[in-house]
Amino acid sequence: MSLSTEKFAQIAKALSDPIRIKILDLIQAGYDQLGASPPVACCSGGVCVCDIQEQMNMAQSKVSYHLRELKNAGLLHETTVGKWNFYAINYTTMKLFQDELQRRYLLETETVGTNLDH
């Protein structure tokens, strides 16, 4: 399965913001590495928006904006438990984006680690 040009661009745009990359890194790290505990039992691999906000030291509205952009691009799953929202990475979309990037722009003979300074 390949991504449409529009979906591919939407994902690339969502990934173009350093704040969003940091948010994805926090979610990927999960509670085991965050030094925090979830407010309620939930969501294997998910991180509460409240903990993302605390780790990023950002206002809730700004964190919510970036999470919405990532979610709209299909990069996150959201689960609500009571008053808490948990976010987890959508690995299916990540893999589709990776495959599409490779299909569009990498030659079959190129390997990871080639010099990108050309």
Side-chain angles (χ1 to χ4, degrees):
M1 178 180 170
S2 64
L3 296 172
S4 69
T5 299
E6 292 76 17
K7 186 64 176 177
F8 185 73
Q10 182 185 24
I11 294 168
K13 182 181 176 189
L15 292 172
S16 72
D17 189 303
I19 292 171
R20 294 185 200 131
I21 298 295
K22 289 177 186 175
I23 289 171
L24 287 170
D25 289 345
L26 285 173
I27 293 169
Q28 176 65 23
Y31 282 106
D32 291 341
Q33 297 177 30
L34 290 183
S37 297
V40 293
C42 170
C43 321
S44 177
V47 176
C48 181
V49 65
C50 60
D51 293 314
I52 296 168
Q53 177 184 337
E54 184 177 319
Q55 292 286 325
M56 297 290 293
N57 194 28
M58 296 172 76
Q60 186 270 332
S61 60
K62 190 168 184 180
V63 171
S64 291
Y65 166 76
H66 289 292
L67 287 168
R68 186 171 44 257
E69 291 293 310
L70 290 166
K71 186 178 170 203
N72 288 343
L75 295 168
L76 294 177
H77 295 290
E78 180 182 20
T79 303
T80 302
V81 177
K83 64 180 181 176
W84 292 281
N85 291 339
F86 291 81
Y87 292 88
I89 294 176
N90 181 342
Y91 293 106
T92 301
T93 299
M94 287 288 193
K95 179 67 172 138
L96 286 171
F97 182 75
Q98 177 187 10
D99 291 349
E100 190 69 16
L101 185 66
Q102 183 168 356
R103 185 186 72 74
R104 287 177 183 245
Y105 303 113
L106 298 177
L107 299 175
E108 292 295 323
T109 58
E110 290 182 328
T111 61
V112 175
T114 59
N115 187 350
L116 299 177
D117 294 330
H118 297 51

PDB file of all heavy atoms in Angstrom, residues 20-53:
ATOM      1  N   ARG A  20       7.312  18.680  17.759  1.00  0.00           N
ATOM      2  CA  ARG A  20       6.585  17.430  17.509  1.00  0.00           C
ATOM      3  C   ARG A  20       7.526  16.227  17.553  1.00  0.00           C
ATOM      4  O   ARG A  20       7.135  15.165  18.040  1.00  0.00           O
ATOM      5  CB  ARG A  20       5.842  17.507  16.187  1.00  0.00           C
ATOM      6  CG  ARG A  20       4.738  18.536  16.245  1.00  0.00           C
ATOM      7  CD  ARG A  20       3.903  18.549  14.985  1.00  0.00           C
ATOM      8  NE  ARG A  20       3.231  19.843  14.936  1.00  0.00           N
ATOM      9  CZ  ARG A  20       3.209  20.640  13.896  1.00  0.00           C
ATOM     10  NH1 ARG A  20       3.759  20.270  12.759  1.00  0.00           N
ATOM     11  NH2 ARG A  20       2.595  21.798  13.952  1.00  0.00           N
ATOM     12  N   ILE A  21       8.731  16.401  17.073  1.00  0.00           N
ATOM     13  CA  ILE A  21       9.716  15.320  17.149  1.00  0.00           C
ATOM     14  C   ILE A  21      10.006  15.007  18.621  1.00  0.00           C
ATOM     15  O   ILE A  21      10.055  13.843  19.028  1.00  0.00           O
ATOM     16  CB  ILE A  21      11.024  15.687  16.406  1.00  0.00           C
ATOM     17  CG1 ILE A  21      10.756  15.913  14.903  1.00  0.00           C
ATOM     18  CG2 ILE A  21      12.106  14.625  16.642  1.00  0.00           C
ATOM     19  CD1 ILE A  21      10.312  14.699  14.145  1.00  0.00           C
ATOM     20  N   LYS A  22      10.160  16.037  19.441  1.00  0.00           N
ATOM     21  CA  LYS A  22      10.408  15.830  20.869  1.00  0.00           C
ATOM     22  C   LYS A  22       9.222  15.141  21.533  1.00  0.00           C
ATOM     23  O   LYS A  22       9.401  14.271  22.395  1.00  0.00           O
ATOM     24  CB  LYS A  22      10.710  17.163  21.555  1.00  0.00           C
ATOM     25  CG  LYS A  22      12.057  17.726  21.181  1.00  0.00           C
ATOM     26  CD  LYS A  22      12.294  19.085  21.822  1.00  0.00           C
ATOM     27  CE  LYS A  22      13.587  19.692  21.314  1.00  0.00           C
ATOM     28  NZ  LYS A  22      13.781  21.056  21.828  1.00  0.00           N
ATOM     29  N   ILE A  23       8.011  15.512  21.147  1.00  0.00           N
ATOM     30  CA  ILE A  23       6.815  14.860  21.694  1.00  0.00           C
ATOM     31  C   ILE A  23       6.802  13.382  21.310  1.00  0.00           C
ATOM     32  O   ILE A  23       6.543  12.517  22.155  1.00  0.00           O
ATOM     33  CB  ILE A  23       5.534  15.583  21.237  1.00  0.00           C
ATOM     34  CG1 ILE A  23       5.416  16.943  21.947  1.00  0.00           C
ATOM     35  CG2 ILE A  23       4.296  14.729  21.506  1.00  0.00           C
ATOM     36  CD1 ILE A  23       4.307  17.841  21.420  1.00  0.00           C
ATOM     37  N   LEU A  24       7.090  13.075  20.051  1.00  0.00           N
ATOM     38  CA  LEU A  24       7.156  11.676  19.629  1.00  0.00           C
ATOM     39  C   LEU A  24       8.238  10.918  20.398  1.00  0.00           C
ATOM     40  O   LEU A  24       8.037   9.767  20.786  1.00  0.00           O
ATOM     41  CB  LEU A  24       7.406  11.582  18.123  1.00  0.00           C
ATOM     42  CG  LEU A  24       6.236  11.944  17.223  1.00  0.00           C
ATOM     43  CD1 LEU A  24       6.694  12.047  15.770  1.00  0.00           C
ATOM     44  CD2 LEU A  24       5.102  10.949  17.359  1.00  0.00           C
ATOM     45  N   ASP A  25       9.371  11.571  20.643  1.00  0.00           N
ATOM     46  CA  ASP A  25      10.443  10.940  21.415  1.00  0.00           C
ATOM     47  C   ASP A  25       9.973  10.609  22.833  1.00  0.00           C
ATOM     48  O   ASP A  25      10.273   9.525  23.351  1.00  0.00           O
ATOM     49  CB  ASP A  25      11.679  11.842  21.484  1.00  0.00           C
ATOM     50  CG  ASP A  25      12.425  11.950  20.156  1.00  0.00           C
ATOM     51  OD1 ASP A  25      12.166  11.126  19.246  1.00  0.00           O
ATOM     52  OD2 ASP A  25      13.253  12.868  20.035  1.00  0.00           O
ATOM     53  N   LEU A  26       9.229  11.532  23.462  1.00  0.00           N
ATOM     54  CA  LEU A  26       8.697  11.287  24.812  1.00  0.00           C
ATOM     55  C   LEU A  26       7.720  10.118  24.816  1.00  0.00           C
ATOM     56  O   LEU A  26       7.763   9.264  25.708  1.00  0.00           O
ATOM     57  CB  LEU A  26       7.989  12.528  25.338  1.00  0.00           C
ATOM     58  CG  LEU A  26       8.867  13.681  25.810  1.00  0.00           C
ATOM     59  CD1 LEU A  26       8.002  14.894  26.132  1.00  0.00           C
ATOM     60  CD2 LEU A  26       9.682  13.277  27.019  1.00  0.00           C
ATOM     61  N   ILE A  27       6.850  10.099  23.833  1.00  0.00           N
ATOM     62  CA  ILE A  27       5.865   9.018  23.753  1.00  0.00           C
ATOM     63  C   ILE A  27       6.568   7.687  23.516  1.00  0.00           C
ATOM     64  O   ILE A  27       6.229   6.679  24.130  1.00  0.00           O
ATOM     65  CB  ILE A  27       4.812   9.323  22.664  1.00  0.00           C
ATOM     66  CG1 ILE A  27       3.979  10.542  23.089  1.00  0.00           C
ATOM     67  CG2 ILE A  27       3.927   8.104  22.410  1.00  0.00           C
ATOM     68  CD1 ILE A  27       3.092  11.104  21.993  1.00  0.00           C
ATOM     69  N   GLN A  28       7.563   7.695  22.644  1.00  0.00           N
ATOM     70  CA  GLN A  28       8.319   6.472  22.373  1.00  0.00           C
ATOM     71  C   GLN A  28       9.047   5.998  23.631  1.00  0.00           C
ATOM     72  O   GLN A  28       9.088   4.801  23.912  1.00  0.00           O
ATOM     73  CB  GLN A  28       9.327   6.704  21.234  1.00  0.00           C
ATOM     74  CG  GLN A  28      10.220   5.531  20.939  1.00  0.00           C
ATOM     75  CD  GLN A  28       9.473   4.317  20.422  1.00  0.00           C
ATOM     76  OE1 GLN A  28       8.383   4.418  19.886  1.00  0.00           O
ATOM     77  NE2 GLN A  28      10.053   3.149  20.604  1.00  0.00           N
ATOM     78  N   ALA A  29       9.592   6.922  24.413  1.00  0.00           N
ATOM     79  CA  ALA A  29      10.315   6.561  25.635  1.00  0.00           C
ATOM     80  C   ALA A  29       9.376   5.888  26.629  1.00  0.00           C
ATOM     81  O   ALA A  29       9.750   4.934  27.301  1.00  0.00           O
ATOM     82  CB  ALA A  29      10.949   7.805  26.262  1.00  0.00           C
ATOM     83  N   GLY A  30       8.149   6.384  26.718  1.00  0.00           N
ATOM     84  CA  GLY A  30       7.168   5.800  27.625  1.00  0.00           C
ATOM     85  C   GLY A  30       7.495   6.050  29.080  1.00  0.00           C
ATOM     86  O   GLY A  30       8.489   6.681  29.421  1.00  0.00           O
ATOM     87  N   TYR A  31       6.640   5.555  29.936  1.00  0.00           N
ATOM     88  CA  TYR A  31       6.776   5.804  31.365  1.00  0.00           C
ATOM     89  C   TYR A  31       8.010   5.161  31.979  1.00  0.00           C
ATOM     90  O   TYR A  31       8.535   5.652  32.972  1.00  0.00           O
ATOM     91  CB  TYR A  31       5.512   5.369  32.107  1.00  0.00           C
ATOM     92  CG  TYR A  31       4.402   6.375  31.959  1.00  0.00           C
ATOM     93  CD1 TYR A  31       3.326   6.128  31.134  1.00  0.00           C
ATOM     94  CD2 TYR A  31       4.455   7.587  32.635  1.00  0.00           C
ATOM     95  CE1 TYR A  31       2.314   7.059  30.983  1.00  0.00           C
ATOM     96  CE2 TYR A  31       3.459   8.529  32.497  1.00  0.00           C
ATOM     97  CZ  TYR A  31       2.379   8.270  31.668  1.00  0.00           C
ATOM     98  OH  TYR A  31       1.396   9.202  31.516  1.00  0.00           O
ATOM     99  N   ASP A  32       8.498   4.086  31.403  1.00  0.00           N
ATOM    100  CA  ASP A  32       9.686   3.435  31.947  1.00  0.00           C
ATOM    101  C   ASP A  32      10.880   4.390  31.978  1.00  0.00           C
ATOM    102  O   ASP A  32      11.709   4.324  32.874  1.00  0.00           O
ATOM    103  CB  ASP A  32      10.058   2.196  31.132  1.00  0.00           C
ATOM    104  CG  ASP A  32       9.045   1.079  31.284  1.00  0.00           C
ATOM    105  OD1 ASP A  32       8.263   1.106  32.256  1.00  0.00           O
ATOM    106  OD2 ASP A  32       9.021   0.184  30.421  1.00  0.00           O
ATOM    107  N   GLN A  33      10.959   5.282  30.998  1.00  0.00           N
ATOM    108  CA  GLN A  33      12.103   6.182  30.893  1.00  0.00           C
ATOM    109  C   GLN A  33      11.781   7.625  31.284  1.00  0.00           C
ATOM    110  O   GLN A  33      12.679   8.444  31.369  1.00  0.00           O
ATOM    111  CB  GLN A  33      12.653   6.147  29.471  1.00  0.00           C
ATOM    112  CG  GLN A  33      13.189   4.777  29.085  1.00  0.00           C
ATOM    113  CD  GLN A  33      13.671   4.734  27.655  1.00  0.00           C
ATOM    114  OE1 GLN A  33      14.129   5.719  27.114  1.00  0.00           O
ATOM    115  NE2 GLN A  33      13.569   3.575  27.026  1.00  0.00           N
ATOM    116  N   LEU A  34      10.520   7.947  31.514  1.00  0.00           N
ATOM    117  CA  LEU A  34      10.147   9.328  31.831  1.00  0.00           C
ATOM    118  C   LEU A  34      10.329   9.693  33.299  1.00  0.00           C
ATOM    119  O   LEU A  34      10.297  10.859  33.645  1.00  0.00           O
ATOM    120  CB  LEU A  34       8.691   9.605  31.434  1.00  0.00           C
ATOM    121  CG  LEU A  34       8.381   9.662  29.951  1.00  0.00           C
ATOM    122  CD1 LEU A  34       6.922  10.004  29.726  1.00  0.00           C
ATOM    123  CD2 LEU A  34       9.262  10.678  29.250  1.00  0.00           C
ATOM    124  N   GLY A  35      10.477   8.701  34.148  1.00  0.00           N
ATOM    125  CA  GLY A  35      10.588   9.001  35.568  1.00  0.00           C
ATOM    126  C   GLY A  35       9.277   9.470  36.150  1.00  0.00           C
ATOM    127  O   GLY A  35       9.243  10.259  37.098  1.00  0.00           O
ATOM    128  N   ALA A  36       8.176   9.041  35.571  1.00  0.00           N
ATOM    129  CA  ALA A  36       6.834   9.403  36.037  1.00  0.00           C
ATOM    130  C   ALA A  36       5.964   8.160  35.982  1.00  0.00           C
ATOM    131  O   ALA A  36       6.324   7.154  35.390  1.00  0.00           O
ATOM    132  CB  ALA A  36       6.239  10.497  35.145  1.00  0.00           C
ATOM    133  N   SER A  37       4.822   8.262  36.621  1.00  0.00           N
ATOM    134  CA  SER A  37       3.840   7.178  36.578  1.00  0.00           C
ATOM    135  C   SER A  37       2.568   7.706  35.962  1.00  0.00           C
ATOM    136  O   SER A  37       2.197   8.858  36.189  1.00  0.00           O
ATOM    137  CB  SER A  37       3.540   6.673  37.990  1.00  0.00           C
ATOM    138  OG  SER A  37       4.693   6.130  38.563  1.00  0.00           O
ATOM    139  N   PRO A  38       1.861   6.885  35.193  1.00  0.00           N
ATOM    140  CA  PRO A  38       0.601   7.352  34.608  1.00  0.00           C
ATOM    141  C   PRO A  38      -0.407   7.673  35.706  1.00  0.00           C
ATOM    142  O   PRO A  38      -0.401   7.048  36.763  1.00  0.00           O
ATOM    143  CB  PRO A  38       0.137   6.185  33.741  1.00  0.00           C
ATOM    144  CG  PRO A  38       0.922   5.004  34.190  1.00  0.00           C
ATOM    145  CD  PRO A  38       2.163   5.507  34.846  1.00  0.00           C
ATOM    146  N   PRO A  39      -1.282   8.658  35.461  1.00  0.00           N
ATOM    147  CA  PRO A  39      -2.279   9.036  36.471  1.00  0.00           C
ATOM    148  C   PRO A  39      -3.304   7.935  36.730  1.00  0.00           C
ATOM    149  O   PRO A  39      -3.887   7.873  37.803  1.00  0.00           O
ATOM    150  CB  PRO A  39      -2.930  10.289  35.900  1.00  0.00           C
ATOM    151  CG  PRO A  39      -2.658  10.237  34.433  1.00  0.00           C
ATOM    152  CD  PRO A  39      -1.376   9.485  34.268  1.00  0.00           C
ATOM    153  N   VAL A  40      -3.526   7.075  35.759  1.00  0.00           N
ATOM    154  CA  VAL A  40      -4.427   5.926  35.888  1.00  0.00           C
ATOM    155  C   VAL A  40      -3.829   4.784  35.079  1.00  0.00           C
ATOM    156  O   VAL A  40      -3.020   5.000  34.192  1.00  0.00           O
ATOM    157  CB  VAL A  40      -5.869   6.223  35.383  1.00  0.00           C
ATOM    158  CG1 VAL A  40      -6.565   7.239  36.248  1.00  0.00           C
ATOM    159  CG2 VAL A  40      -5.868   6.660  33.936  1.00  0.00           C
ATOM    160  N   ALA A  41      -4.254   3.567  35.378  1.00  0.00           N
ATOM    161  CA  ALA A  41      -3.791   2.415  34.602  1.00  0.00           C
ATOM    162  C   ALA A  41      -4.397   2.479  33.208  1.00  0.00           C
ATOM    163  O   ALA A  41      -5.606   2.614  33.057  1.00  0.00           O
ATOM    164  CB  ALA A  41      -4.192   1.122  35.299  1.00  0.00           C
ATOM    165  N   CYS A  42      -3.534   2.446  32.213  1.00  0.00           N
ATOM    166  CA  CYS A  42      -4.045   2.579  30.852  1.00  0.00           C
ATOM    167  C   CYS A  42      -2.987   2.235  29.829  1.00  0.00           C
ATOM    168  O   CYS A  42      -1.806   2.282  30.105  1.00  0.00           O
ATOM    169  CB  CYS A  42      -4.503   4.016  30.603  1.00  0.00           C
ATOM    170  SG  CYS A  42      -4.890   4.350  28.877  1.00  0.00           S
ATOM    171  N   CYS A  43      -3.474   1.963  28.688  1.00  0.00           N
ATOM    172  CA  CYS A  43      -2.813   2.122  27.402  1.00  0.00           C
ATOM    173  C   CYS A  43      -1.359   1.701  27.326  1.00  0.00           C
ATOM    174  O   CYS A  43      -0.475   2.523  27.468  1.00  0.00           O
ATOM    175  CB  CYS A  43      -2.895   3.570  26.960  1.00  0.00           C
ATOM    176  SG  CYS A  43      -4.450   4.333  27.320  1.00  0.00           S
ATOM    177  N   SER A  44      -1.133   0.457  27.075  1.00  0.00           N
ATOM    178  CA  SER A  44       0.229  -0.019  26.881  1.00  0.00           C
ATOM    179  C   SER A  44       0.912   0.839  25.817  1.00  0.00           C
ATOM    180  O   SER A  44       0.442   0.945  24.697  1.00  0.00           O
ATOM    181  CB  SER A  44       0.204  -1.484  26.452  1.00  0.00           C
ATOM    182  OG  SER A  44       1.498  -1.921  26.188  1.00  0.00           O
ATOM    183  N   GLY A  45       2.000   1.458  26.205  1.00  0.00           N
ATOM    184  CA  GLY A  45       2.742   2.293  25.268  1.00  0.00           C
ATOM    185  C   GLY A  45       2.239   3.711  25.164  1.00  0.00           C
ATOM    186  O   GLY A  45       2.833   4.518  24.472  1.00  0.00           O
ATOM    187  N   GLY A  46       1.173   4.052  25.860  1.00  0.00           N
ATOM    188  CA  GLY A  46       0.625   5.399  25.785  1.00  0.00           C
ATOM    189  C   GLY A  46       1.152   6.288  26.893  1.00  0.00           C
ATOM    190  O   GLY A  46       1.525   5.823  27.955  1.00  0.00           O
ATOM    191  N   VAL A  47       1.196   7.587  26.617  1.00  0.00           N
ATOM    192  CA  VAL A  47       1.627   8.575  27.600  1.00  0.00           C
ATOM    193  C   VAL A  47       0.534   9.634  27.712  1.00  0.00           C
ATOM    194  O   VAL A  47      -0.002  10.092  26.711  1.00  0.00           O
ATOM    195  CB  VAL A  47       2.974   9.217  27.192  1.00  0.00           C
ATOM    196  CG1 VAL A  47       3.377  10.315  28.161  1.00  0.00           C
ATOM    197  CG2 VAL A  47       4.073   8.162  27.120  1.00  0.00           C
ATOM    198  N   CYS A  48       0.232  10.012  28.951  1.00  0.00           N
ATOM    199  CA  CYS A  48      -0.808  11.002  29.213  1.00  0.00           C
ATOM    200  C   CYS A  48      -0.360  12.388  28.750  1.00  0.00           C
ATOM    201  O   CYS A  48       0.799  12.771  28.932  1.00  0.00           O
ATOM    202  CB  CYS A  48      -1.123  11.030  30.710  1.00  0.00           C
ATOM    203  SG  CYS A  48      -2.420  12.211  31.145  1.00  0.00           S
ATOM    204  N   VAL A  49      -1.291  13.132  28.197  1.00  0.00           N
ATOM    205  CA  VAL A  49      -1.000  14.489  27.759  1.00  0.00           C
ATOM    206  C   VAL A  49      -0.478  15.325  28.925  1.00  0.00           C
ATOM    207  O   VAL A  49       0.393  16.182  28.742  1.00  0.00           O
ATOM    208  CB  VAL A  49      -2.232  15.139  27.082  1.00  0.00           C
ATOM    209  CG1 VAL A  49      -3.362  15.325  28.070  1.00  0.00           C
ATOM    210  CG2 VAL A  49      -1.873  16.464  26.445  1.00  0.00           C
ATOM    211  N   CYS A  50      -0.947  15.068  30.119  1.00  0.00           N
ATOM    212  CA  CYS A  50      -0.484  15.829  31.290  1.00  0.00           C
ATOM    213  C   CYS A  50       1.013  15.613  31.522  1.00  0.00           C
ATOM    214  O   CYS A  50       1.731  16.550  31.889  1.00  0.00           O
ATOM    215  CB  CYS A  50      -1.293  15.473  32.532  1.00  0.00           C
ATOM    216  SG  CYS A  50      -1.227  13.735  33.009  1.00  0.00           S
ATOM    217  N   ASP A  51       1.495  14.403  31.290  1.00  0.00           N
ATOM    218  CA  ASP A  51       2.916  14.125  31.472  1.00  0.00           C
ATOM    219  C   ASP A  51       3.756  14.667  30.322  1.00  0.00           C
ATOM    220  O   ASP A  51       4.897  15.084  30.522  1.00  0.00           O
ATOM    221  CB  ASP A  51       3.138  12.625  31.660  1.00  0.00           C
ATOM    222  CG  ASP A  51       2.535  12.139  32.974  1.00  0.00           C
ATOM    223  OD1 ASP A  51       2.755  12.807  34.003  1.00  0.00           O
ATOM    224  OD2 ASP A  51       1.839  11.111  32.969  1.00  0.00           O
ATOM    225  N   ILE A  52       3.199  14.678  29.130  1.00  0.00           N
ATOM    226  CA  ILE A  52       3.888  15.303  27.989  1.00  0.00           C
ATOM    227  C   ILE A  52       4.052  16.792  28.264  1.00  0.00           C
ATOM    228  O   ILE A  52       5.131  17.363  28.084  1.00  0.00           O
ATOM    229  CB  ILE A  52       3.117  15.059  26.675  1.00  0.00           C
ATOM    230  CG1 ILE A  52       3.092  13.566  26.343  1.00  0.00           C
ATOM    231  CG2 ILE A  52       3.734  15.870  25.524  1.00  0.00           C
ATOM    232  CD1 ILE A  52       2.122  13.185  25.241  1.00  0.00           C
ATOM    233  N   GLN A  53       2.980  17.411  28.737  1.00  0.00           N
ATOM    234  CA  GLN A  53       2.986  18.838  29.059  1.00  0.00           C
ATOM    235  C   GLN A  53       4.058  19.142  30.111  1.00  0.00           C
ATOM    236  O   GLN A  53       4.835  20.088  29.964  1.00  0.00           O
ATOM    237  CB  GLN A  53       1.606  19.238  29.572  1.00  0.00           C
ATOM    238  CG  GLN A  53       1.473  20.668  30.015  1.00  0.00           C
ATOM    239  CD  GLN A  53       0.093  20.942  30.599  1.00  0.00           C
ATOM    240  OE1 GLN A  53      -0.871  20.251  30.315  1.00  0.00           O
ATOM    241  NE2 GLN A  53       0.009  21.957  31.418  1.00  0.00           N
TER     242      GLN A  53
END
